[in-house]
Amino acid sequence: MQQFLLFSPEVAAARLAGKPVVALESTIISHGMPYPQNVTMAREVEQLIRDAGAVPATIAIIDGKICIGLSDAQLELLGESPEAMKVSRRDLPYVIAQRRLGATTVAATMICAQLAGIAVFVTGGIGGVHRGAATSFDISADLQELAQTSVAVVCAGVKSILDIGLTLEYLETQGVPVISVGQPGFPAFFTRESGYQADFQLDEAHEQAAFIGTKWALGLRGGVVVSNPVPAAYAMDKGEIDRITEQALAEADARGVSGKAVTPFLLDRIKQLTAGRSLVTNIALVKHNAVVGARLALALHELPGLKPI
Ligand code: PSU
Ligand code: MN
């Protein structure tokens, strides 16, 4: 599959120099936030990673290639193009073979990061088990990817549009460890607490790196969720977000939204129903994750003999 990879000059130079690289997804740009805030967010997140001493690699599918690291113009293209497809594991061969423009989800970004030898990936929230999954079977491919692809995913937990308890059960069944940073609780994206505990609290980057390095040294293939709560100043009111989430879910149901359209529909409605305040929170938590992810990438880099599997 290496034949499909195309490294940006910045990432290619980082690989040559042996510098730590942090992967970033692109569905969050194309389907997770509106233009132009999405492009501004993408650039700021990349800069935060550089400032912390690592090299950012935003990943997308362009012209039949898996692009590892994007130019400013490519970020802009993804941010403003309505034809950008949301690409998960299932969609990769179609988008590459048809030379379509593709924005990678958590699952697809993990696959591409592993191919490119990148161990740390920063995003906002991962997909999970949707509420009502017992009848809809709607479980994000992100979870299965975490089970099999060896990349650490720094996120702010999962949104309460999902069934957080079932998402954690699924991850446990699949042997995916859930780490929390700075608190024992597993965060719920817009809010710092979900009411559920993470498996292991590891506050320091060197502790997180040692955990991840040990998992892979043991031959335990698969990802690790590094959950980092939104900064308190940007957290939303739980009552408000719960109410709005219920409304968005009811609307999705009434309109018969299904498949890959569900998550983007809910994100967009929540943004509208909070008059854009959810977007401010979303951007703040991704930036916070970028700093934690860059520190983790540096610490992993220092580990003697780390070999991603
Ligand atoms: N959750 C968010 N923002 C996002 C996504 C999820 O808060 O942008 C995106 C991510 O790309 C994630 C995808 O991988 O949605 C999950 O989609 P689905 O539920 O269709 O698997
Ligand atoms: Mn789904």
Side-chain angles (χ1 to χ4, degrees), residues 102-247:
T104 50
T105 63
V106 168
T109 306
M110 288 179 75
I111 294 169
C112 300
Q114 187 171 49
L115 273 174
I118 303 172
V120 178
F121 159 33
V122 165
T123 186
I126 57 172
V129 179
H130 282 256
R131 298 198 203 174
T135 50
S136 70
F137 275 35
D138 193 350
I139 300 176
S140 173
D142 292 353
L143 299 186
Q144 195 52 43
E145 208 57 57
L146 280 159
Q148 59 183 317
T149 300
S150 302
V151 173
V153 181
V154 182
C155 65
V158 300
K159 287 202 174 75
S160 55
I161 57 173
L162 301 170
D163 188 319
I164 299 176
L166 289 190
T167 300
L168 292 171
E169 289 290 351
Y170 192 102
L171 290 170
E172 180 184 5
T173 301
Q174 297 291 335
V176 179
V178 177
I179 290 173
S180 61
V181 184
Q183 63 179 36
F186 181 66
F189 197 87
F190 293 122
T191 56
R192 290 172 63 83
E193 295 292 347
S194 64
Y196 295 90
Q197 300 291 104
D199 302 320
F200 314 106
Q201 178 179 350
L202 296 172
D203 295 346
E204 303 298 330
H206 71 88
E207 299 175 289
Q208 299 151 13
F211 179 99
I212 293 162
T214 302
K215 173 175 158 81
W216 292 340
L218 286 166
L220 300 175
R221 187 180 294 279
V224 173
V225 176
V226 179
S227 64
N228 179 43
V230 60
Y234 290 95
M236 297 191 70
D237 176 69
K238 185 176 182 320
E240 181 194 16
I241 199 74
D242 283 352
R243 230 176 15 255
I244 282 169
T245 299
E246 292 294 345
Q247 183 180 337

Side-chain angles (χ1 to χ4, degrees), residues 23-29 41 57-60 103-106 109 121-126:
L24 297 160
E25 64 155 308
S26 44
T27 292
I28 189 175
I29 303 173
M41 176 280 304
T58 305
I59 294 178
T104 50
T105 63
V106 168
T109 306
F121 159 33
V122 165
T123 186
I126 57 172

